[in-house]
Amino acid sequence: SETEVTVTQDMIDNGYTTDYEAPEEGDSLTVSATVTDQAGNESDSSSDTAQVDTTYGDDTDGDGTVTAASVDITDESGDDVINENETKNSDITGTIGEGGDTLDSLIITDIDGNEVTIDVSGVTVNDDGTYSVEDVDLSGLVDGDLTVTAKSTDVDVNKATTTDTIDKDITAPIVTTTEDTNNDRTINEAELDGKVDVLIEMGDGAQVDDTLTITNPDESETEVAITQDMIDNGYTTDYE
């Protein structure tokens, strides 16, 4: 449809403003305009088009799906519990998603609201949108759930916020597969000598006659009454 408006001095000085109902997501809106002088001469047409895109990310590879932004925080052992030996070497990995443009912030927060803020200007975002931060020091945060929050912006300036949670418990027992002498989480031929030995060190606060519960590789559980020797030297077991 067309709308005719008589030009005023204010329109000449400041332009003419109007508005329209926004189209559906993904649809476009085009507006064109001409000016006709008092002698009936009509100017060339000028137009502008805008597409509504309020959803984060774009299907840049044309496969019909959009890879979402995500973030993940992991401890060294991979058991989703940061123990006393892991407070300074947790890793964060993530992606700004398909169509993402910038990683804006990375913040880890504990249950008391204390924060560790990572300087994202020093974080490399790869061409595929992925990024990683190694050896994050979380020793200043209290025990309990730790939440990492990643914020990013896509090429259309839409924003995304993603989170992941891990438990911090420096009083938890520390489990070490001693057979894995170089701690690469792989037991090679040179390291394997009979059964696989495991050392479990008691966490801070453990007391005599407390119960140590061990979840074995076959998912069965073994309960052991804690002794002073276990507090001092740890508890050793082995598996086939």
Side-chain angles (χ1 to χ4, degrees):
S1 64
E2 291 186 348
T3 302
E4 292 188 352
V5 181
T6 301
V7 177
T8 65
Q9 186 60 50
D10 181 67
M11 291 166 60
I12 295 172
D13 295 338
N14 303 302
Y16 174 75
T17 300
T18 188
D19 54 39
Y20 301 92
E21 294 293 336
E24 296 294 326
E25 181 75 17
D27 289 345
S28 298
L29 178 148
T30 300
V31 177
S32 60
T34 61
V35 174
T36 304
D37 65 18
Q38 296 178 45
N41 301 306
E42 185 176 354
S43 70
D44 291 335
S45 177
S46 175
S47 65
D48 193 25
T49 299
Q51 183 184 42
V52 175
D53 181 357
T54 62
T55 303
Y56 185 91
D58 286 324
D59 181 15
T60 56
D61 60 9
D63 67 353
T65 61
V66 177
T67 301
S70 63
V71 67
D72 186 41
I73 183 169
T74 56
D75 61 292
E76 187 176 23
S77 66
D79 64 357
D80 287 332
V81 179
I82 297 173
N83 62 40
E84 187 172 13
N85 288 348
E86 298 172 324
T87 56
K88 294 186 178 182
N89 56 6
S90 295
D91 297 335
I92 295 173
T93 57
T95 175
I96 61 173
E98 195 174 358
D101 186 39
T102 60
L103 176 64
D104 302 327
S105 65
L106 274 176
I107 300 175
I108 304 95
T109 310
D110 65 21
I111 56 175
D112 288 344
N114 304 305
E115 295 181 348
V116 171
T117 300
I118 295 173
D119 181 6
V120 294
S121 67
V123 177
T124 299
V125 178
N126 301 312
D127 291 341
D128 63 357
T130 59
Y131 58 87
S132 62
V133 183
E134 297 180 347
D135 297 332
V136 180
D137 185 353
L138 302 176
S139 58
L141 301 181
V142 302
D143 278 12
D145 284 346
L146 305 183
T147 300
V148 57
T149 302
K151 295 185 177 182
S152 55
T153 302
D154 73 4
V155 293
D156 299 312
V157 202
N158 294 312
K159 306 290 184 179
T161 299
T162 59
T163 63
D164 189 39
T165 301
I166 196 170
D167 184 36
K168 178 184 177 185
D169 187 356
I170 64 172
T171 66
I174 300 170
V175 181
T176 304
T177 304
T178 53
E179 208 82 7
D180 179 17
T181 55
N182 62 0
N183 198 32
D184 65 352
R185 302 180 69 180
T186 300
I187 301 172
N188 61 39
E189 184 178 6
E191 294 171 322
L192 183 59
D193 182 15
K195 294 183 178 181
V196 176
D197 297 320
V198 175
L199 172 66
I200 304 173
E201 300 171 82
M202 304 305 108
D204 289 345
Q207 298 181 7
V208 173
D209 291 331
D210 285 352
T211 299
L212 172 67
T213 301
I214 305 167
T215 301
N216 301 300
D218 63 1
E219 298 186 358
S220 65
E221 290 188 349
T222 302
E223 293 187 351
V224 182
I226 294 177
T227 65
Q228 186 61 51
D229 180 67
M230 290 167 61
I231 293 173
D232 295 339
N233 303 303
Y235 175 78
T236 300
T237 187
D238 53 39
Y239 299 95
E240 294 292 342

